[in-house]
Amino acid sequence: MKEQILSDLKNKCQNCMKCELGKTRNNIVFSDGNPKTAKAILIGEAPGENEDKTGTPFVGRAGKLLNEFLEKAEISRAEDLYIINTVKCRPPQNRVPSDAEKAACESYLLKQIETINPEVIIFCGATALKSFYDKKVAISKIRGEVLELEIGGQIRKCIPIFHPSYLLRYHSLEEGSPRDLMLKDLKKIKNLIK
Ligand code: SF4
Ligand code: URA
């Protein structure tokens, strides 16, 4: 049932030209993870070059770093998560997707959330956070907090975390460093979903 809804939706996206990004994509990037077993949805920003080539989210440098953190927190990317982005097509030069592009793509995102119906949603980075949370607050101030937000007709626990591309620039593992905080946030999420 879930699989059918998601595969119909994916077919729709494959033919979608609702925004400019449809003109330059090579592949839509629909999702990764397991719709049957996922306990949380992780929402990133947008596909990059490697994702556009392969059709899978978070497979480039940022994706590899995300995988390392997930492993350390004992979250299974393949079983515990369903991974998506705010838009399904790559923005040229990896720019941030515009509000108009996010709005054009939002119905697909909401349908994925309603179909998976997770209790927990992870906003991975500021773009995902801003899509669902309208108060102006820096990701560094709000990361790790559990926000109760109504998304897709349900109140869900939503947790903002740093985006792995940001962590590529900060290597320290010292207490309170971005990487230290990322691991702490993911461990907190592990406790929420286990
Ligand atoms: Fe359609 Fe979303 Fe791709 Fe825009 S980004 S063309 S709305 S699938
Ligand atoms: N960054 C994202 O936000 N999403 C991806 O899929 C890849 C990199």
Side-chain angles (χ1 to χ4, degrees), residues 13 16-19 21-22 25 28 87-89 101 104-105 108:
C13 292
C16 181
M17 282 291 175
K18 279 203 287 180
C19 81
L21 302 182
R25 71 164 177 249
I28 62 146
V87 290
K88 305 281 173 266
C89 305
E101 289 156 356
C105 215
Y108 303 133

Side-chain angles (χ1 to χ4, degrees), residues 28-45:
I28 62 146
V29 177
F30 188 72
S31 69
D32 196 23
N34 188 335
K36 278 200 215 141
T37 57
K39 300 185 191 102
I41 289 188
L42 182 143
I43 308 177
E45 180 174 290

Side-chain angles (χ1 to χ4, degrees), residues 173-185:
L173 296 172
E174 195 180 298
E175 173 91 34
S177 65
R179 288 192 184 217
D180 175 59
L181 296 172
M182 178 72 158
L183 187 57
K184 289 195 168 120
D185 293 347

Side-chain angles (χ1 to χ4, degrees), residues 29 42-49 51 56-63 77 83-87 124 127 163-165:
V29 177
L42 182 143
I43 308 177
E45 180 174 290
E49 187 181 10
E51 290 76 22
T56 305
F58 285 106
V59 293
R61 241 156 60 85
R77 172 166 171 155
I83 301 183
I84 54 182
N85 283 303
T86 66
V87 290
C124 185
T127 302
H163 193 284
S165 328

Side-chain angles (χ1 to χ4, degrees), residues 114-137:
E114 284 165 20
T115 306
I116 304 290
N117 197 23
E119 274 176 44
V120 172
I121 298 184
I122 306 162
F123 299 143
C124 185
T127 302
L129 172 66
K130 277 189 220 148
S131 296
F132 294 97
Y133 192 71
D134 49 19
K135 292 184 196 126
K136 275 217 169 83
V137 49

